[in-house]
Amino acid sequence: MNRTGARRSAGDGRSGTADAGGRPGPADGDGRPDGRPRHRRRGHRRRRPALVRTAAAGAGLALCLLVAPASGATADDDDDGGGWTSEAATQYWTAGRMASAVPAGPGAGKSAAAPAARTTAAGQGAAGAPAAGSAQHFDGVPSVGVLFSVDKDAQAHHCTASVVRSPRRNLILTAGHCDPGSRAAFVPQYRSGAETQPYGVWAIDRGFTDPRRTGTGPGSDLDFAFATVKPDGQGRALESVTGGNILSRTPGYTTDVTVIGYPTARNDPADRAIRCAVRTSRLTGQRQLRMECGGFYGGTSGSPWLSRFDERTKTGYVVGNIGGLNGGGPSGPDSHRTSYSPYYGADVFRLYARAVTG
């Protein structure tokens, strides 16, 4: 069931790609990588050069993709006639307006109408102790945040998005079904109730989705999207402020990832970021990954699946996002415990190439 936190349409620089030079390579039809990347110890202080080399290798791939057609990728003009700027978004989305925004209707997203017994803090059991296989609340990371929209009744944050390294340093990644709408904004490391958001409020410029995406069947394998964001009031690009994750091919159906997302306050009253470190498996019958970890209620669609997450830099290699079949998970009362992700291959890189050229 769709994990957007509010009613959405069911229809439908450093370059950040990693594909060669020892980075995660393309997978065959069974999902087996044709070359495993070299791993460095998480948090090792010398990891930055490895990321730089990866970005340089990815730049070569991106340049190749830029001269190729984008397989019919569509660009959605979300800019409101040039008047919607990051300054305007900041002025509109005050702390009070964020707090008073109301989701537009019940039952609109995955587990959006979660029973009260399951809307207690993520990762806690009935007695308040950490529950096995559940996400934990934490303070979030600069490269992951939430999406707000002015249209559609000024809904509360409805999806999660993440910053992806790109030549113009202005790109975010989310699920294809999230549909930010016009006059939308991205709030990195969102803090509920804060008078000033730690990394600002950024106006979304244009969105890019694959027109072949569907909610079920093979088209659900394409449930990813990119969007460009405008500079802030100081003229800075988003990535220069928050840092970004490196877009990478999925190394295989079984891989270790850290998943970070933001459930809506309706589903998780703490209204905080959650994270889960988990090993994935294959979703039978689909070119998609699945994970088992509780707490990923409505609002977590688009949450990045990060391989080799570095606790020091708070970034990693994004190899998936919550999305896919039925919007990213099964139906039913315990749907928050199972999440899906598209398997990243050539299609996501073609869409990325379309987004970085505008």
Side-chain angles (χ1 to χ4, degrees):
M1 197 171 151
N2 190 331
R3 292 200 184 186
T4 54
R7 190 178 306 278
R8 292 282 141 191
S9 171
D12 328 340
R14 296 179 311 193
S15 172
T17 58
D19 187 58
R23 306 283 73 91
D28 63 18
D30 295 324
R32 295 186 296 273
D34 59 8
R36 296 187 63 84
R38 294 181 180 178
H39 290 257
R40 288 185 181 269
R41 184 184 300 274
R42 293 177 179 173
H44 197 291
R45 298 189 64 84
R46 297 184 63 187
R47 189 168 184 264
R48 172 69 62 178
L51 290 175
V52 173
R53 288 195 299 272
T54 301
L61 172 65
L63 289 174
C64 291
L65 288 170
L66 295 182
V67 300
S71 286
T74 59
D76 307 313
D77 290 323
D78 293 330
D79 184 16
D80 186 20
W84 184 242
T85 65
S86 291
E87 289 178 296
T90 300
Q91 291 170 6
Y92 184 89
W93 285 111
T94 62
R97 188 165 270 139
M98 286 183 181
S100 63
V102 178
K110 181 171 184 181
S111 299
R118 292 192 293 109
T119 57
T120 54
Q124 292 185 353
S134 294
Q136 301 296 309
H137 287 123
F138 79 123
D139 290 336
V141 298
S143 66
V144 182
V146 301
L147 298 178
F148 279 92
S149 284
V150 174
D151 67 347
K152 304 180 188 294
D153 299 322
Q155 298 159 353
H157 62 88
H158 56 83
C159 275
T160 301
S162 59
V163 184
V164 176
R165 290 192 184 184
S166 64
R168 297 179 183 175
R169 305 164 70 80
N170 66 343
L171 204 62
I172 59 174
L173 165 72
T174 188
H177 69 266
C178 281
D179 180 23
S182 63
R183 295 190 296 164
F186 172 63
V187 185
Q189 200 167 355
Y190 166 73
R191 297 290 178 86
S192 180
E195 285 298 321
T196 302
Q197 292 298 320
Y199 294 92
V201 179
W202 302 75
I204 292 178
D205 188 11
R206 303 179 69 194
F208 299 85
T209 58
D210 193 310
R212 299 170 295 169
R213 185 197 68 79
T214 57
T216 60
S220 66
D221 297 343
L222 305 173
D223 195 13
F224 40 72
F226 296 95
T228 55
V229 299
K230 293 187 173 181
D232 69 1
Q234 302 176 50
R236 298 177 298 179
L238 173 64
E239 188 188 318
S240 67
V241 176
T242 63
N245 302 299
I246 297 176
L247 181 67
S248 303
R249 286 179 179 262
T250 306
Y253 287 109
T254 302
T255 189
D256 294 322
V257 295
T258 297
V259 182
I260 299 173
Y262 284 86
T264 63
R266 181 175 62 184
N267 299 310
D268 182 353
D271 200 17
R272 296 179 63 197
I274 60 172
R275 64 183 288 175
C276 186
V278 65
R279 176 163 291 186
T280 68
S281 60
R282 183 171 188 172
L283 174 60
T284 303
Q286 299 284 154
R287 188 171 170 79
Q288 295 175 30
L289 309 178
R290 66 178 289 159
M291 72 165 187
E292 301 294 332
C293 187
F296 286 88
Y297 297 104
T300 59
S301 284
S303 298
W305 295 32
L306 300 170
S307 174
R308 291 182 280 165
F309 181 72
D310 188 323
E311 295 289 351
R312 181 177 63 85
T313 65
K314 308 300 182 185
T315 60
Y317 297 77
V318 60
V319 297
N321 62 265
I322 288 185
L325 187 66
N326 303 321
S331 300
D334 293 322
S335 61
H336 70 101
R337 300 185 184 279
T338 303
S339 302
Y340 308 148
S341 167
Y343 191 106
Y344 284 1
D347 289 311
V348 74
F349 283 93
R350 279 192 285 266
L351 189 60
Y352 170 87
R354 178 70 183 90
V356 299
T357 58

